[in-house]
Amino acid sequence: MTWTPQEYREQLGHPKAVRQFANDIEAMEDCDACVLVLPCGRSAHTEAGWFAGRGKMTLVYIPERQEPELMYKLFDGVCCSMEELVEALK
């Protein structure tokens, strides 16, 4: 993006951004759990933190080698296979 930090901040108030944010929050409120699938970006990490903060089950799925991250201890579990993930969600 070519926006300055100030332009970026201003765009967060744009009606489309406000509407989409409300849609995202509503969808997350309707969910029982969150699976953070690595690798992923900033938005996914922010959403996972929101889920954890709300006391909703939050799991990390690491299907391949990733840079270690101690803060994943905040979440309910770290799964390294699809089988582990399915079992954790039961």
Side-chain angles (χ1 to χ4, degrees), residues 2 5-7 10 14 19 39 44 49 55 62 82-83 89:
T2 58
Q6 293 79 11
E7 289 170 326
E10 289 169 14
H14 188 281
R19 184 173 51 250
I62 306 175
M82 188 59 66
E83 292 77 21
L89 287 169

Side-chain angles (χ1 to χ4, degrees), residues 59-83:
L59 301 167
V60 180
Y61 176 48
I62 306 175
E64 58 190 48
R65 186 182 305 253
Q66 297 291 317
E67 180 179 340
E69 176 54 63
L70 286 174
M71 295 310 289
Y72 290 155
K73 291 176 66 65
L74 289 170
F75 302 144
D76 296 296
V78 175
C79 303
C80 301
S81 71
M82 188 59 66
E83 292 77 21

Side-chain angles (χ1 to χ4, degrees), residues 1 9-11 13 22 24 26 30-31 36 39 43-44 55-56 60 63 66 70 78 84:
M1 300 296 301
R9 181 180 59 204
E10 289 169 14
Q11 290 303 316
D24 289 352
E26 182 179 346
D30 289 341
C31 293
L36 183 69
S43 183
K56 294 184 178 222
V60 180
Q66 297 291 317
L70 286 174
V78 175
E84 286 179 358

